[in-house]
Amino acid sequence: MIAPDLQTAIDRLRALIEASDVIVPFTGAGISTECGIPDFRSPGGIWTRMAPIPFDEFVSSQAARDEAWRRRFAMQDQFAAARPGRGHRALASLYRGGKSPGVVTQNIDNLHQASGIPHECVVELHGNTTYATCLECAKRYELGWVRDRFDRAGGRAPDCPDCRGYIKTATVSFGQAMPQHEMDRAQGLTLACDLFLAIGSSLVVWPAAGFPLMAKRNGARLAIINRDPTEFDDIADLVVRHDIGTVFEPLIAA
Ligand SMILES: [Zn+2]
């Protein structure tokens, strides 16, 4: 059912949560918009104005790597200032209360971890933009380290001092394979839950589209909380089209 008003949405969501033992939230950009993180894919979003740099370009062109890092640093103020929103905090409450073993997210903003969910309980399907890794040896680099070298080299992206590999934010780019380990973990959580909460995702980008259906077919209940309709609304037990932060605020535990 589609919640007819905000109070009904909150009441039904709370009832579903109270009736469930294993809750797996699946989050997309909509949970982070109140935190000042732009929704890249939305109409008017960054990617409709500036095409993302595909992975094969990144690895084949120094100019592409320079441009990728220039763009990343241009957005650093937004990412660095972002704090968890009401949705993140409510999900952290579910985790602390033993109701939720972990979160699956399409987001790259690190806000679930910042809300207090341990990093090993956050499955990041598209990676994380708040740090970088070497594409060859997988060594982790902090953004401040990259920026320092980038600036000193006049805007040239640095390579890994250990192995000369290319250093890239720890995100999954267009044209880059989905991380199999994360996909496996997401599937494991999806099949273990009795309530699947799809929050702030349009559920059209693969592989996001597969998980709500997988949960539902496995017998879990499905709630979809998203500003716009999704193609899974018909099979959902609850559809909420109100503001995510407002809906989840009453579920934040002190
Ligand atoms: Zn390396």
Side-chain angles (χ1 to χ4, degrees):
M1 62 95 72
I2 301 173
D5 56 67
L6 178 62
Q7 193 55 49
T8 308
I10 292 168
D11 292 345
R12 296 285 173 112
L13 185 59
R14 190 191 292 277
L16 277 174
I17 287 170
E18 283 173 359
S20 304
D21 295 320
V22 182
I23 300 167
V24 169
F26 179 99
T27 64
I31 197 172
S32 293
T33 46
E34 75 172 10
C35 313
I37 303 287
D39 180 358
F40 302 98
R41 291 183 168 88
S42 73
I46 289 172
W47 285 348
T48 62
R49 286 178 278 128
M50 187 164 59
I53 296 168
F55 185 67
D56 61 349
E57 250 179 70
F58 186 93
V59 296
S60 62
S61 157
Q62 179 70 41
R65 291 191 291 281
D66 297 347
E67 175 63 10
W69 277 108
R70 190 193 64 76
R71 290 183 189 179
R72 178 62 188 83
F73 294 137
M75 294 176 58
Q76 177 59 7
D77 289 346
Q78 256 172 323
F79 275 105
R83 297 289 173 267
R86 291 169 292 174
H88 299 99
R89 290 163 58 209
L91 298 184
S93 296
L94 292 180
Y95 172 81
R96 281 197 307 274
K99 280 273 201 181
S100 173
V103 176
V104 181
T105 188
Q106 298 173 280
N107 298 339
I108 57 175
D109 54 29
N110 205 56
L111 290 177
H112 287 300
Q113 293 93 325
S115 76
I117 300 178
H119 73 90
E120 65 271 20
C121 298
V122 181
V123 178
E124 298 176 307
L125 295 177
H126 295 163
N128 189 313
T129 194
T130 66
Y131 62 95
T133 53
C134 169
L135 291 174
E136 293 298 325
C137 73
K139 182 173 177 178
R140 173 174 169 143
Y141 290 94
E142 303 310 319
L143 294 195
W145 183 94
V146 179
R147 186 163 201 169
D148 186 48
R149 275 149 190 83
F150 181 87
D151 287 345
R152 276 196 279 140
R156 182 182 169 90
D159 298 334
C160 176
D162 290 1
C163 77
R164 311 313 307 168
Y166 302 137
I167 295 172
K168 181 178 166 299
T169 56
T171 49
V172 178
S173 295
F174 282 93
Q176 192 172 9
M178 292 297 297
Q180 193 55 50
H181 180 63
E182 301 297 283
M183 289 292 289
D184 291 345
R185 289 173 67 209
Q187 179 168 335
L189 283 168
T190 300
L191 294 176
C193 76
D194 59 1
L195 175 61
F196 190 93
L197 298 177
I199 305 165
S201 172
S202 54
L203 304 175
V204 289
V205 180
W206 194 87
F211 292 112
L213 196 58
M214 188 188 295
K216 190 69 189 161
R217 284 184 175 154
N218 194 49
R221 275 158 304 197
L222 171 64
I224 297 175
I225 302 95
N226 193 51
R227 184 187 57 193
D228 301 314
T230 78
E231 63 177 290
F232 296 100
D233 289 359
D234 287 346
I235 64 163
D237 299 271
L238 175 65
V239 176
V240 175
R241 292 182 187 153
H242 296 276
D243 174 65
I244 290 168
T246 309
V247 170
F248 277 95
E249 186 167 10
L251 296 165
I252 299 171

